[in-house]
Amino acid sequence: VEITPDAILVHQEGRIVYINPAGLELLGAAHADQVVGKSVLDFIHTDSLEKVRTNIGKDLKGERTPAVEIRMLRLDGETVTVEGQGVQTLYQGKPAIQAAIRDITERREAEQALRESEDRLRTIMQSVQTGIIIIDARTHTILDVNRKALAMIGVKKADIIGSVCHRYICPCEQGECPITNLGQGADASERVLITKSGVRIPVLKTVVPATIAGRDVFIESVMDISELKSREDRIRILAGLLDLIPASVTVHDTEGRFLYANEKSFEFHGYTASEFSKINLHELDVPESERLIEERIRQLKETGHVSFEVQHYRKDGSVIPLLVNARITTWDGAPVILSIATDNTERKQAEQE
């Protein structure tokens, strides 16, 4: 009793008659005289008094009482959270109660800090506008999911928890998980998310392995890129239409670097797309035209659009006359020049005849 790390005290007729060293440390006492002889209830916090009185009554009747969590008061007035259990005994031949008490203050504070941390993380998880799904790495069942992911899939949380992930997250067959079975990564990779109604949504998915409460999990984040994919589709259609028109369409910055060119531009100049992307406008213009580039850009900045005749070198060294209509626009927030040029060869030949 003297060397046990748990506090042991004996009280008789409501007064403490014995306390071990661990008990003295728990109550902040330097020696037993500070505690022995005092009412045991003097060391009980008011919100635990009723619980303690009830158990004392049962202990005196010889009834077995379970361990209870209560708050006790130290001599300096500080509160400690303890777990205690009493049992009827005899002390100097008279009925008494022996109580074993364990200080669980640090454990409760750690548990409270953990709960607060979990609450903060859950609040963040539920607030982000990216779908987050937590999946058991072994069974591939869904353990948790945030509101954004539920909205994307179109289900209630109770309906998806416990489901196998490939029913919603990744349309693969059992045993063919890209992450665990096929050894593929998922770092901002394009995947699909399957909604409750079976619609496939294009998403950008990232998977991070982690351990939560001793369990290996995958934390998957998914971002709906339907709008982006739709925009890309529209861009592809527009680019296809531009490739069909019988004129050169180009976009270049004020330094002459090409940002876009359609198929007719390559055809006019005899270059491949890769070759053309490395050429500067100053290299295409014949000297007489190249000297006028700065003046044309100045006019464009003043009026917003301009028309002019120009001659460009082809890859084979020959020259092609062009009639150009250009205007100022923006590309990624910077001013650029959009030009539509038609082959002016026939008109020039007609003028010479």
Side-chain angles (χ1 to χ4, degrees), residues 9-60:
L9 65 81
V10 177
H11 56 93
Q12 191 175 59
E13 296 179 351
R15 300 283 173 179
I16 297 173
V17 293
Y18 168 81
I19 186 167
N20 73 342
L24 293 175
E25 182 179 351
L26 174 69
L27 298 180
H31 48 81
D33 292 345
Q34 293 176 280
V35 176
V36 172
K38 292 186 176 181
S39 170
V40 67
L41 298 181
D42 289 347
F43 298 95
I44 306 301
H45 194 279
T46 54
D47 61 12
S48 299
L49 280 173
E50 184 176 349
K51 187 186 298 184
V52 171
R53 286 193 180 106
T54 298
N55 276 17
I56 288 174
K58 292 179 179 179
D59 292 337
L60 288 172

Side-chain angles (χ1 to χ4, degrees), residues 265-282:
S265 301
F266 312 141
E267 181 184 325
F268 277 179
H269 296 87
Y271 290 101
T272 64
S274 176
E275 291 170 336
F276 195 86
S277 67
K278 299 172 184 175
I279 296 173
N280 191 284
L281 176 63
H282 289 265

Side-chain angles (χ1 to χ4, degrees), residues 141-345:
T141 54
I142 297 172
L143 304 175
D144 202 359
V145 60
N146 72 344
R147 282 192 289 265
K148 182 63 177 181
L150 291 173
M152 292 168 67
I153 300 170
V155 294
K156 294 180 179 179
K157 190 169 185 177
D159 296 331
I160 193 172
I161 298 299
S163 298
V164 178
C165 61
H166 66 243
R167 286 186 55 193
Y168 299 102
I169 314 304
C170 180
C172 65
E173 297 298 326
Q174 187 170 356
E176 296 184 2
C177 172
I179 307 298
T180 57
N181 301 117
L182 305 182
Q184 299 176 9
D187 185 8
S189 304
E190 287 193 22
R191 296 287 191 269
V192 294
L193 190 72
I194 306 174
T195 68
K196 183 181 180 181
S197 59
V199 176
R200 295 190 173 202
I201 300 175
V203 297
L204 203 61
K205 182 166 96 169
T206 296
V207 180
V208 177
T211 301
I212 298 178
R215 174 185 285 184
D216 291 334
V217 299
F218 293 130
I219 301 176
E220 302 198 0
S221 61
V222 290
M223 181 182 298
D224 188 347
I225 56 172
S226 301
E227 185 177 341
L228 177 62
K229 298 296 285 185
S230 177
R231 191 180 303 123
E232 288 177 350
D233 289 341
R234 291 197 297 270
I235 291 172
R236 277 193 292 270
I237 291 171
L238 289 172
L241 290 173
L242 289 175
D243 285 337
L244 294 175
I245 66 174
S248 166
V249 180
T250 60
V251 178
H252 63 79
D253 62 18
T254 55
E255 300 299 321
R257 290 183 289 262
F258 286 103
L259 306 173
Y260 169 80
N262 70 343
E263 288 291 338
K264 205 64 176 179
S265 301
F266 312 141
E267 181 184 325
F268 277 179
H269 296 87
Y271 290 101
T272 64
S274 176
E275 291 170 336
F276 195 86
S277 67
K278 299 172 184 175
I279 296 173
N280 191 284
L281 176 63
H282 289 265
E283 299 174 63
L284 288 179
D285 275 13
V286 299
E288 295 80 3
S289 298
E290 198 270 341
R291 284 193 291 267
L292 297 173
I293 289 177
E294 296 302 324
E295 174 61 22
R296 288 169 182 151
I297 290 176
R298 186 189 64 78
Q299 292 177 12
L300 276 167
K301 290 180 177 179
E302 288 180 357
T303 64
H305 60 85
V306 67
S307 298
F308 53 88
E309 292 183 9
V310 71
Q311 293 187 81
H312 279 185
Y313 286 119
R314 290 190 179 98
K315 182 179 179 180
D316 61 9
S318 61
V319 174
I320 178 173
L322 300 170
L323 181 61
V324 180
N325 286 285
R327 65 175 53 249
I328 287 283
T329 184
T330 57
W331 184 291
D332 288 338
V336 294
I337 298 165
L338 168 65
S339 299
I340 300 176
T342 55
D343 187 346
N344 206 23
T345 304

Side-chain angles (χ1 to χ4, degrees), residues 109-125:
E109 288 176 350
E111 290 172 352
Q112 179 62 27
L114 181 60
R115 281 193 296 270
E116 291 174 358
S117 177
E118 289 175 345
D119 288 343
R120 284 194 296 271
L121 291 174
R122 187 165 295 279
T123 298
I124 293 170
M125 178 178 167

